[in-house]
Amino acid sequence: MSESLQDSAKLSPEKERSLFVQGLIDFWKQFRKNKPAIVGFLIVLFFILIAIFAKQIAPQGINDQNIAIRLQPPSAKHLLGTDDFGRDILSRIVFGAQLSLRVGFFAVIGSIIVGTFFGVIAGYFGKLIDTVISRFFDILLAFPSILLSIAIVTILGPSLNNALVAIAIVNVPVFGRLVRSRVLTVKEEEYIMAARSIGMGNTRIIMKHILPNSFAPIIVQGTLNIATAILDAAGLGFLGMGAQPPQPEWGTMLSESRQYITNAPWTVIFPGLAIILVVIGFNLMGDGLRDALDPRMKN
C-alpha cells in the first residue's frame, strides 16, 4: 500500500517541468492583467538596469568635485544640476541606485532565510518551541522598526553594511510569523498526512511539501518589504546612521542637501523622487504578485 502511494505521488522530471512552465504561463497571464502592477514592474526594471549599467550611464564620476560650479541648476551639461561640492547629481543618483537596491534585496533575502527557518520550526513542531520563537518575534515587533534599526546600528556602528544587517534583523519576525501561519495551515492538509503515513521524514516533508506551498506569500511579502527596506536605509542615511559621505546613497544625499532646499531645491527633489519612484514600483509590483499568486483573486 505504501509503495503504491509513493509511486502515485511521484512525477516524472518531464511532467514536473511541464507543470512548472504551465504555472509560469498562467502566472504571467494573470499578472499582466493588472496594469498598475505592470507599471510597477517597469519602474523596478528601469532602476535595476540603471544600477547594472551605472558606469556606462553616469556622465561623470560620483566624487568629481568642482567648487566653481557648485549648486548649479539643471542644464545641458548637468541634467539634474550639481550639489554643494560641484558634483553631478545625476551621476550620484545613478550610482545610488546600486546602493539602495543592494540594501533592499540583501536585507530582505537575509530576513527571508532566517525568518523562514524559525517560522518553519515554530509552525511545524509547535508546543514549547513555537511558544519561545513566537514570543521572540513579539518582542521584536513591539519596537518601531526605525527605532530598533537605530539601536542596532548604534551598537554595530554607522555604516551601510551595518544598516543592511539592522534592517534584515528588524524584518525577520515579519517573515517568521508569515511562514509560521502558512505552515500551521499546510501541515494539516491531507497530502501531508499521507506523506507521514508512508514514512516520509520531517525534513523531507518540510523541503518537499511545506516550503514549496509557502513560497507565494513569501514572494509577495518580500517584494513589498524591499520597498520598506529601501525607505529604512534612506531614513538611516538621512540620520547619519547608514551610508556615510561621500557614498551616494539617496538618504545621505538628502541629509547633505537639506540646508540648500530653499536656494537649490533640485539637490533635494531628485534624490527624493528616486526614493519615491522605486518604492512605488515595488509596492505596485507586490500588489500585482499578490493578486496573481492568490487563487482567490483569479476571477
Side-chain angles (χ1 to χ4, degrees):
M1 177 65 178
S2 62
E3 292 181 357
S4 63
L5 281 172
Q6 286 180 322
D7 293 338
S8 63
K10 291 180 180 179
L11 293 174
S12 65
E14 293 78 10
K15 184 65 174 178
E16 288 184 349
R17 284 194 293 268
S18 176
L19 290 174
F20 178 73
V21 171
Q22 186 59 47
L24 288 178
I25 294 173
D26 293 341
F27 161 76
W28 176 248
K29 287 180 179 179
Q30 188 69 19
F31 182 78
R32 70 181 182 181
K33 294 178 182 177
N34 191 324
K35 301 305 180 184
I38 294 296
V39 172
F41 171 74
L42 293 176
I43 292 174
V44 171
L45 180 62
F46 172 74
F47 278 98
I48 290 175
L49 291 176
I50 284 179
I52 293 174
F53 299 104
K55 290 184 179 180
Q56 290 75 27
I57 296 174
Q60 298 184 16
I62 56 175
N63 292 316
D64 293 348
Q65 301 182 16
N66 187 351
I67 301 300
I69 58 171
R70 67 187 299 267
L71 299 178
Q72 292 292 309
S75 62
K77 187 174 182 180
H78 301 281
L79 296 180
L80 302 184
T82 60
D83 63 9
D84 55 319
F85 288 100
R87 298 173 297 192
D88 184 70
I89 292 177
L90 174 60
S91 300
R92 291 179 63 78
I93 289 178
V94 166
F95 277 95
Q98 291 183 336
L99 300 180
S100 294
L101 291 178
R102 188 183 82 187
V103 171
F105 280 112
F106 284 102
V108 169
I109 289 173
S111 301
I112 289 175
I113 293 173
V114 178
T116 299
F117 175 77
F118 285 108
V120 168
I121 291 176
Y124 189 80
F125 294 102
K127 298 181 180 179
L128 180 60
I129 295 176
D130 184 18
T131 302
V132 172
I133 294 177
S134 296
R135 295 298 78 76
F136 174 69
F137 289 161
D138 292 339
I139 291 172
L140 290 179
L141 290 171
F143 297 93
S145 61
I146 189 66
L147 292 182
L148 184 57
S149 299
I150 291 173
I152 296 172
V153 173
T154 301
I155 295 172
L156 299 177
S159 74
L160 184 64
N161 288 334
N162 289 341
L164 189 156
V165 172
I167 295 169
I169 293 173
V170 167
N171 284 297
V172 164
V174 175
F175 292 98
R177 294 185 69 175
L178 176 67
V179 172
R180 173 186 174 274
S181 174
R182 182 64 181 167
V183 171
L184 288 173
T185 301
V186 173
K187 75 175 185 177
E188 300 300 330
E189 296 289 344
E190 292 182 358
Y191 59 87
I192 300 296
M193 298 179 184
R196 289 198 188 102
S197 69
I198 62 176
M200 187 177 290
N202 290 330
T203 302
R204 191 178 177 192
I205 290 175
I206 290 172
M207 299 302 295
K208 191 173 181 63
H209 296 294
I210 300 291
L211 286 179
N213 285 284
S214 302
F215 278 151
I218 292 174
I219 292 172
V220 174
Q221 188 64 46
T223 305
L224 296 172
N225 270 59
I226 290 175
T228 303
I230 291 173
L231 274 179
D232 287 344
L236 290 172
F238 185 83
L239 296 173
M241 306 293 290
Q244 301 298 301
Q247 287 182 301
E249 195 273 326
W250 295 335
T252 305
M253 292 175 65
L254 288 175
S255 178
E256 292 177 328
S257 303
R258 66 182 186 274
Q259 59 183 314
Y260 305 108
I261 191 170
T262 55
N263 60 328
W266 55 89
T267 59
V268 177
I269 291 174
F270 293 119
L273 280 176
I275 296 173
I276 292 171
L277 283 175
V278 75
V279 169
I280 289 176
F282 276 108
N283 283 331
L284 291 176
M285 190 170 72
D287 290 339
L289 289 174
R290 179 199 61 206
D291 295 346
L293 294 171
D294 189 345
R296 295 170 298 181
M297 306 295 291
K298 297 296 184 184
N299 293 328

